[in-house]
Amino acid sequence: MAAPTLFRPIQYMGSKLNLAEKIADHICPRHSNGTILDPFSGTGVMGQEFAKRGCKVVTSDALDFCNIMSRATLGIGKRPNNQLVQEWKTVQRAAEAIEYPPKWNVLLSEEKKLIGSGDGEKLLTIEGNYPRRTTEFPESMKEGAGNIWRLTEVFAGTYLGLKQCLDLDRFRWALEQHANNISSWCYDSILTALMSSASNASYSAGKHFAQFHNLQKGATSFHKKRLIKDRTLDIKDFSTKCLELIINAAEASGSGHQQFKGPMEGLKNKSLRCDWIYADPPYTAQQYSRFYHLLESFVSIDPIRLMHQKNKPTKGLIPPKEDRHQSNFSKKTTISGAFQDLIELSNRCKANLAISYSTPRDKNSRMISLDGLHALLENTFEVEEITFNHKYREFNKTELSAKSDSEDILLVCRRKD
């Protein structure tokens, strides 16, 4: 029987989907029974790989939407009598009973017609005139978290089409109203499926949410065709297919896994014992949460705040800096201390440590060099360096780079004591 396929819910920078099996081979053999801590869980694919080998997995992440994805695919909160498909149908019925706001009816009709005729150029034109909210602190914020159409009022016609935003909003609202009637796993799984739909529908480079396609120099034929293709994705149908993959992932993962919310530093007060810690932290100055702000906003129920520059919203419609997490691993001034914290965490857990590292590409420097990382680790561990033959796609390109200037490396660190 073929091994179960890992499910990566969203497009994610630095995802280890294609390396998960190779990485896990150096940490836990197949049919293991140890415990592995993954404090940078991301899309959850490494947790799935460890779990399907028989390991108990403990995960955490600084971003809420990542925690939700891991809980769904690892089956955390799953009950024996859960009927996820039926619960999804209940949410569907409740969502579809919510009518779209009348102010969007004409534009919805026009969007449907232009998608049907494949007229990407005209669709881009009308989307540029959608009545989106761009104020930093809208009046609706004073009323609390009671607005159904949170994504639509900010993002319609940017990363996502109008109908896609409206459907995501009403499914999200219906799920929240139904939350007390279903298990936490069903809730997380439906939310994960909706996030997967949003990611796959995103009209942006690499399917991330840092910036929708920049058309300041005019729309090319690529942009027009791509727009129609992305806007065609149906949220309900795609989410339904995703739920099947989530069910399979959770079944393959077994049971007994745990999760803690928050960044790695928050684990210092937890009583943990594990055999290995697998760490894949962010090493660059990029604000990782900036690439996923739409998803982080979506899983929240709070009003969406926007960052402004010179009294205008930023091009990516991103939140203020204070609303965006920046890891201590992403700053030169704090990265050495961050790794010391990671080493101390391994000491408290009495665990070996495996660290993923990719050598820098042009214009994408790391906050610490590979030699600098070795120097931090070698006082505590015997360090073995393993290099994987793996090529990346260049950002916003579909083909694999013929000449990669970046290598994926695994540092396998075994305790000296």
Side-chain angles (χ1 to χ4, degrees):
M1 182 181 294
T5 303
L6 303 179
F7 173 51
R8 179 182 64 180
I10 66 166
Q11 303 294 323
Y12 198 83
M13 293 181 67
S15 169
K16 293 298 183 285
L17 178 66
N18 295 321
L19 287 174
E21 188 173 350
K22 293 179 180 179
I23 291 171
D25 283 342
H26 293 281
I27 300 173
C28 59
R30 299 177 190 280
H31 310 298
S32 298
N33 58 5
T35 299
I36 297 180
L37 170 62
D38 180 359
F40 305 91
S41 59
T43 60
V45 295
M46 286 307 308
Q48 293 174 56
E49 180 64 35
F50 297 139
K52 78 177 187 180
R53 292 168 180 247
C55 292
K56 299 303 179 187
V57 181
V58 181
T59 73
S60 69
D61 201 281
L63 300 179
D64 286 342
F65 79 91
C66 291
N67 293 319
I68 290 166
M69 292 189 299
S70 285
R71 291 197 299 267
T73 54
L74 288 174
I76 296 174
K78 189 172 183 287
R79 300 172 185 166
N81 61 345
N82 280 164
Q83 299 292 324
L84 179 55
V85 174
Q86 285 71 19
E87 298 294 357
W88 170 233
K89 289 180 179 178
T90 300
V91 170
Q92 280 182 52
R93 288 192 294 270
E96 290 168 350
I98 302 171
E99 295 183 356
Y100 300 137
K103 73 173 185 178
W104 294 106
N105 287 345
V106 173
L107 290 173
L108 268 173
S109 178
E110 186 73 3
E111 179 186 73
K112 182 178 180 180
K113 184 177 79 172
L114 293 174
I115 291 174
S117 64
D119 193 343
E121 183 169 10
K122 189 170 182 181
L123 182 55
L124 281 168
T125 300
I126 70 164
E127 285 186 342
N129 295 316
Y130 281 179
R132 290 189 290 271
R133 172 176 73 75
T134 57
T135 53
E136 184 177 4
F137 298 107
E139 286 296 316
S140 60
M141 287 190 68
K142 298 177 182 178
E143 301 170 8
N147 181 10
I148 298 179
W149 311 108
R150 296 166 59 256
L151 285 189
T152 305
E153 69 173 13
V154 175
F155 296 112
T158 58
Y159 301 99
L160 301 164
L162 174 55
K163 185 176 187 300
Q164 290 169 334
C165 278
L166 290 167
D167 282 344
L168 284 165
D169 274 333
R170 64 179 184 169
F171 282 125
R172 178 74 184 90
W173 180 264
L175 175 63
E176 199 61 34
Q177 306 313 301
H178 195 52
N180 291 333
N181 302 321
I182 60 177
S183 74
S184 62
W185 178 72
C186 285
Y187 177 91
D188 289 332
S189 296
I190 293 172
L191 204 44
T192 297
L194 292 170
M195 285 192 284
S196 188
S197 296
S199 175
N200 281 273
S202 178
Y203 182 60
S204 61
K207 297 290 183 180
H208 303 295
F209 295 99
Q211 172 64 59
F212 42 94
H213 278 298
N214 187 343
L215 304 178
Q216 289 180 339
K217 297 180 180 179
T220 65
S221 59
F222 163 80
H223 290 114
K224 296 169 191 175
K225 291 178 182 178
R226 172 70 184 275
L227 179 72
I228 296 300
K229 180 181 179 181
D230 289 340
R231 298 298 193 243
T232 301
L233 184 142
D234 183 87
I235 298 299
K236 181 177 74 172
D237 291 346
F238 195 92
S239 298
T240 300
K241 294 175 183 177
C242 286
L243 286 173
E244 297 176 9
L245 300 174
I246 292 168
I247 291 170
N248 292 338
E251 289 179 349
S253 294
S255 60
H257 311 298
Q258 289 180 276
Q259 189 192 60
F260 298 100
K261 295 181 181 180
M264 184 211 74
E265 297 85 347
L267 296 173
K268 64 184 178 182
N269 297 320
K270 306 295 182 184
S271 178
L272 296 170
R273 286 291 181 270
C274 54
D275 301 285
W276 283 89
I277 297 174
Y278 169 70
D280 184 22
Y283 293 95
T284 70
Q286 293 170 322
Q287 291 271 1
Y288 261 53
S289 53
R290 178 170 64 92
F291 286 79
Y292 311 107
H293 65 95
L294 188 147
L295 298 177
E296 191 76 342
S297 297
F298 180 63
V299 300
S300 171
I301 58 172
D302 295 327
I304 298 171
R305 301 204 310 155
L306 295 174
M307 180 178 178
H308 281 62
Q309 294 176 342
K310 296 181 180 178
N311 297 319
K312 291 183 179 181
T314 55
K315 292 179 182 178
L317 297 173
I318 61 178
K321 281 190 175 181
E322 60 267 27
D323 290 1
R324 286 178 273 149
H325 173 74
Q326 185 176 23
S327 171
N328 287 335
F329 291 86
S330 296
K331 295 180 285 189
K332 285 187 177 181
T333 56
T334 57
I335 191 167
S336 292
F339 270 107
Q340 293 292 353
D341 288 341
L342 180 59
I343 292 169
E344 178 56 31
L345 178 62
S346 75
N347 290 337
R348 291 198 305 274
C349 295
K350 302 186 182 303
N352 296 314
L353 182 60
I355 300 175
S356 281
Y357 184 91
S358 58
T359 54
R361 298 186 188 183
D362 293 341
K363 301 179 182 179
N364 194 12
S365 62
R366 301 296 182 260
M367 295 297 101
I368 190 170
S369 67
L370 187 57
D371 287 342
L373 189 50
H374 269 279
L376 287 174
L377 295 168
E378 287 174 353
N379 288 332
T380 307
F381 304 97
E382 297 290 345
V383 181
E384 179 185 4
E385 183 177 312
I386 299 158
T387 301
F388 300 114
N389 181 20
H390 177 69
K391 293 187 182 298
Y392 287 93
R393 287 181 171 85
E394 294 297 330
F395 198 59
N396 201 25
K397 292 185 179 178
T398 57
E399 68 274 10
L400 286 173
S401 174
K403 182 181 178 182
S404 176
D405 61 350
S406 179
E407 292 181 315
D408 246 303
I409 293 168
L410 183 70
L411 299 177
V412 179
C413 310
R414 292 181 172 84
R415 302 184 63 80
K416 291 182 177 180
D417 56 7

